[in-house]
Amino acid sequence: MLPRAAGGQRALLQLGDDRDLDWIADFGGIRYQLLSHRDESGPSLDRIRTRFGSKLGCSALEAPAVAGDAAPIDLIFEEGERSLEDIEIIHTPGRTDGSICIFCRAPAGKSYLFCGDTIFRWNARWATLVLRKAGGSEEALLESLLRLRELEPDVVLWSGFVGDVSFAVVTREEWTKAIDDTAARLRRRG
């Protein structure tokens, strides 16, 4: 089930209900489905691809895990590949060995960071976690967090979360504090 805001009310739609895709179509559709890591893969990707003709992309290290249960992969990002049109691909290993984040600037001037589960909110606190079975490591995640610290996103969006929302509007100071605090906790765990 997916949350959907409708007329100021929150409604839940069953997965496979095309009303969400109709809503997305009203805004121009989907050109790319870029996965930050393997846990974002699933059968809905093919449904979206069929509806909009979108291209599916992920990192080369995540491709074998994604290929088993998703639409065909059109774009595979090797380490070092940094862009797709005006979208910046940031390799952020740590949660998994092939995690990526996506950074883009909208025409209206705001910048957006889609960070998957590299960093996310757990209720009111920024958090992260490592999936060792998927090649993740604390050392790599710490380096990735410090790389993300250099960015200046206006909005940060993530995949998995505990709480009410999956995004945050941040100032530069809030973002660097989020990274610094999360990195400090990661160092203490390691």
Side-chain angles (χ1 to χ4, degrees), residues 4-21:
R4 178 164 188 239
Q9 298 177 339
R10 194 170 182 151
L12 291 178
L13 300 177
Q14 293 294 325
L15 205 54
D17 183 330
D18 282 344
R19 288 180 290 172
D20 275 346
L21 296 184

Side-chain angles (χ1 to χ4, degrees), residues 103 111 145-156 169-180:
F103 186 69
S111 61
L145 288 173
L146 296 177
R147 191 172 314 121
L148 293 177
R149 188 182 192 279
E150 301 306 312
L151 300 175
E152 294 187 31
D154 295 305
V155 182
V156 180
V169 176
V170 296
T171 65
R172 175 74 179 139
E173 295 76 27
E174 290 167 335
W175 179 239
T176 55
K177 181 173 178 15
I179 294 291
D180 292 346

Side-chain angles (χ1 to χ4, degrees), residues 65-170:
V66 169
D69 61 358
I73 301 169
D74 302 295
L75 306 165
I76 296 178
F77 305 111
E78 300 289 343
E79 178 66 41
E81 282 186 76
R82 294 300 218 172
S83 64
L84 171 66
E85 296 178 14
D86 58 347
I87 301 166
E88 184 178 350
I89 306 299
I90 305 166
H91 294 269
T92 52
R95 168 149 166 74
T96 68
D97 57 358
S99 293
I100 62 172
C101 292
I102 296 107
F103 186 69
C104 60
R105 295 188 193 286
K110 297 283 186 193
S111 61
Y112 297 85
L113 175 63
F114 298 86
C115 55
D117 293 336
T118 299
I119 184 169
F120 56 92
R121 298 286 298 220
W122 187 288
N123 290 319
R125 184 178 183 186
W126 290 95
T128 192
L129 59 97
V130 172
L131 296 178
R132 286 185 189 83
K133 289 188 274 184
S137 77
E138 284 84 359
E139 298 81 22
L141 184 54
L142 183 59
E143 287 178 31
S144 293
L145 288 173
L146 296 177
R147 191 172 314 121
L148 293 177
R149 188 182 192 279
E150 301 306 312
L151 300 175
E152 294 187 31
D154 295 305
V155 182
V156 180
L157 304 100
W158 49 89
S159 302
F161 63 99
V162 176
D164 293 333
V165 297
S166 60
F167 73 94
V169 176
V170 296

